[in-house]
Amino acid sequence: MSAGGRRTRVGIQATVELMVNGDRHSLPVDTRTTLLDALRERLALTGTKKGCDQGQCGACTVLVDGARVNSCLLLAVAADGAEVVTVEGLASPDGALHPLQQAFVTHDAFQCGYCTPGQLCSGVGAIAEAAAGEPSLVTPPEAGGRGEPVPLGEEEIRERMSGNLCRCAAYPGIAAAVAEAAAALGGEPAPGLEPGPDPEEVSR
Amino acid sequence: MRPFRYARAEDPAEAVAALAADPEARYLAGGTNLVDLMKLGVETPARLVDVRRLPLDAVEETPDGGLRIGATATNTALAGHPAVRGRYPALSQAVLAGASQQLRNLATVGGNLLQRTRCLYFQDTGKPCNKREPGTGCAAREGEHRDLAVLGTSEHCVASHPSDMAVALAAYDARVEVLSEAGARRLALQDFYRLPGDRPERDTVLRHGDLITAVELPPPPPGVRAAYRKVRDRASYAFALVSVAALLRREPDGSVGEVRIAFGGVAPRPWRARAAEDALRGGPCGEQELRSALEREFTEARPLPGNAFKVGLAVRTATRVLTDLAEAAAATPHGGPHSQEDA
């Protein structure tokens, strides 16, 4: 241990197993490392952005075992064994954009682009959640919770995407892009909900 | 952030033993509040015992017609559960009114109950705060306190409780199931939270090592309509200035059969408005009666200059919620599509 006091105290190490965008990683980390920092600083997946680092902006949103989460508040050790999809994992291996990525281009759903990776992962999660019948605050009381898809109108999209702030206020384009991709996907599950590709297949 | 040891507990008893063995250990579940507070230096555990994957995530209907909600059920799983949507609608609405979907996917029911106040000074280690550091004083009284409490405060602390879920749970008479080394025990939600008094550092009556294992709901009162309404500075993804969970049943003659009212955003804990309920039960529920009963609830309020608006806002919001429930009951006296009798 260092004699320098609290700020320089040596961390405590742990090894985490993560499947990220289909690639398996065994990663020694300081237990204090968030999933966000593990992705950016250790795996060089800098598509995922650090905005507030406090769970207030959504820029760090990724899919963990199919569910969108704020990676800034999830410790890497707590994600041990999880399957993670980041913005780098949305497009097909052949480079074809995910339907939501294509819709963002079509609808000019960004300006500076800093929040976009989080918006994309969040949108993919939102579309899957609505398809699975998960209610939002604006879902009518008699709908939701029974496994029937919730239609994604503008009000639903805006409520479901409220965890992703855009300081450029590109919201009209973002809402339009999510609506278009939801229609195109027609209830397709989010990446990570299904078994990932065989890592050996990917590396070949 | 202070370095910490991390271990995943295999079963509840092991988790309880791990905490009992280390006074500086804390449970970790979704982490959406605890990890944030650790980054801020407000929480400095030496050890985290991860309970998120304990097999305590079931949401089950009980033989008496109630509901047992496992402590590690996520907010998302709770809000979308068919029994919650159908029979405890104000609970589903309250959960969905809180945070963002990303956070609700991580957050758990047990963790939600134990989240700390979002008072700016509690979260700022450079400022005095009796809740964070007992005896240092309260910076909020003279500072920014727009979001803070008007009821149940003390000279030592005016923090408000941030949960939406807990407000609905209070209205539904929830009980909290707790495991400790001495065994399991149950607490009414109203006895679970404590008011600050001269010990504002203690939000609840839990002791070190106590693990919340479930929340139990009795059957909803027959024939009630229920709603949750939240007033905040933006339409979504913000803490409540004021929120209201309300249950109402009107008798065939139009009088109040059953009424339950709980407020969020106005007190150090979910605030069950018993004075207003008592004033209303058995009587008429016109707008005038509602307003005067709700004003009675706030006669003990001790607002500060920056949050005095909350008293009127809370009265108006609850009056509106109850008026809407009363009108819906009058429109379909035998139970409409949203009534719980049909669920």
Side-chain angles (χ1 to χ4, degrees):
Chain A
M1 291 289 257
S2 150
R6 234 165 118 153
R7 287 192 175 280
T8 54
R9 262 194 292 197
V10 175
I12 294 164
Q13 300 287 311
T15 300
V16 298
E17 307 283 337
L18 294 172
M19 179 77 93
V20 183
N21 301 331
D23 293 335
R24 192 180 302 278
H25 300 275
S26 184
L27 211 57
V29 295
D30 185 310
T31 55
R32 295 172 289 186
T33 310
T34 59
L35 177 61
L36 172 62
D37 285 340
L39 292 169
R40 289 182 54 86
E41 310 290 334
R42 303 296 301 282
L43 299 179
L45 292 169
T46 53
T48 306
K49 295 294 184 277
K50 183 181 282 192
C52 69
D53 208 23
Q54 295 186 309
Q56 294 178 10
C57 77
C60 67
T61 303
V62 299
L63 299 162
V64 173
D65 294 329
R68 51 180 168 151
V69 303
N70 301 82
S71 62
C72 74
L73 291 181
L74 180 59
L75 293 170
V77 286
D80 185 29
E83 195 167 308
V84 181
V85 175
T86 68
V87 70
E88 289 91 343
L90 293 182
S92 302
D94 67 4
L97 294 182
H98 183 281
L100 185 59
Q101 290 174 307
Q102 186 55 56
F104 264 60
V105 174
T106 304
H107 292 276
D108 195 21
F110 37 72
Q111 185 170 308
C112 81
Y114 196 81
C115 73
T116 308
Q119 300 278 3
L120 287 167
C121 288
S122 187
V124 170
I127 291 167
E129 287 153 6
E134 295 289 351
S136 81
L137 184 60
V138 300
T139 306
E142 63 276 12
R146 294 194 174 87
E148 296 150 19
V150 178
L152 280 183
E154 166 123 8
E155 191 188 16
E156 281 281 0
I157 290 171
R158 284 183 174 266
E159 168 59 25
R160 287 168 190 267
M161 293 296 290
S162 71
N164 293 82
L165 305 190
C166 172
R167 294 301 302 271
C168 309
Y171 298 114
I174 293 169
V178 172
E180 181 175 297
L185 288 165
E188 201 172 292
L193 284 177
E194 292 180 317
D198 183 339
E200 290 183 16
E201 289 283 332
V202 171
S203 65
R204 219 177 280 155
Chain B
M1 193 188 297
R2 182 188 183 188
F4 57 86
R5 297 187 182 284
Y6 169 91
R8 217 174 255 189
E10 297 294 326
D11 62 69
E14 182 196 310
V16 168
L19 244 74
D22 184 350
E24 291 193 281
R26 293 289 308 271
Y27 294 122
L28 172 72
T32 56
N33 189 207
L34 180 59
V35 173
D36 192 20
L37 292 175
M38 287 165 64
K39 289 183 185 187
L40 294 168
V42 175
E43 294 277 3
T44 55
R47 179 187 304 273
L48 290 183
V49 177
D50 191 342
V51 296
R52 184 162 193 250
R53 302 192 200 199
L54 290 179
L56 298 173
D57 62 344
V59 180
E60 300 165 310
E61 299 191 62
T62 56
D64 70 347
L67 200 67
R68 187 176 189 280
I69 304 160
T72 61
T74 62
N75 287 26
T76 299
L78 177 63
H81 193 281
V84 179
R85 291 292 285 171
R87 301 176 55 231
Y88 301 91
L91 176 57
S92 179
Q93 290 165 19
V95 174
L96 293 171
S100 68
Q101 188 62 48
Q102 289 98 310
L103 292 167
R104 294 191 294 271
N105 285 343
L106 280 174
T108 65
V109 169
N112 186 292
L113 294 181
L114 294 176
Q115 65 181 306
R116 311 300 306 273
T117 182
R118 295 318 196 275
C119 174
L120 297 173
Y121 306 101
F122 174 73
Q123 298 185 93
D124 181 351
T125 57
K127 298 287 195 306
C129 169
N130 287 324
K131 187 181 276 298
R132 176 169 38 74
E133 220 173 316
T136 56
C138 173
R141 282 191 164 274
E142 304 294 323
E144 177 59 54
H145 49 247
R146 172 176 161 80
D147 294 337
L148 303 183
V150 298
L151 285 169
T153 57
S154 74
E155 60 179 301
H156 303 285
C157 186
V158 294
S160 52
H161 196 266
S163 172
D164 292 289
M165 175 190 293
V167 177
L169 291 176
Y172 283 115
D173 277 344
R175 292 183 300 266
V176 184
E177 186 186 281
V178 177
L179 183 68
S180 71
E181 288 206 299
R185 66 186 195 278
R186 284 179 180 74
L187 300 160
L189 191 73
Q190 283 303 292
D191 302 327
F192 175 81
Y193 289 111
R194 54 185 301 289
L195 293 176
D198 59 2
R199 296 287 306 277
E201 70 276 17
R202 295 190 61 208
D203 295 352
T204 72
V205 300
L206 293 188
R207 295 179 292 263
H208 179 77
D210 281 348
L211 176 68
I212 297 175
T213 49
V215 173
E216 294 177 338
L217 297 179
V224 297
R225 287 167 183 278
Y228 185 76
R229 194 166 300 175
K230 180 175 181 179
V231 181
R232 43 187 161 173
D233 281 336
R234 59 184 180 197
S236 183
Y237 200 19
F239 289 98
L241 292 170
V242 162
S243 72
V244 180
L247 278 62
L248 180 71
R249 185 186 75 239
R250 295 183 79 173
E251 300 298 350
D253 65 3
S255 65
V256 175
E258 174 68 83
V259 62
R260 300 206 195 144
I261 306 160
F263 285 101
V266 299
R269 65 180 187 198
W271 190 267
R272 185 72 183 269
R274 305 246 179 219
E277 293 175 11
D278 291 344
L280 288 168
R281 204 170 284 115
C285 59
E287 190 174 328
Q288 217 35 55
E289 290 85 6
L290 290 167
R291 186 178 303 277
S292 100
L294 289 159
E295 281 168 353
R296 178 181 304 196
E297 187 69 39
F298 282 86
T299 51
E300 300 293 310
R302 296 288 176 267
L304 296 166
N307 67 7
F309 73 96
K310 282 192 174 189
V311 173
L313 182 62
V315 169
R316 290 193 301 276
T317 304
T319 301
R320 180 61 189 272
V321 170
L322 286 158
T323 303
D324 287 352
L325 289 173
E327 285 173 0
T332 49
H334 300 296
H338 302 178
S339 97
Q340 303 198 339
E341 290 170 325
D342 289 3

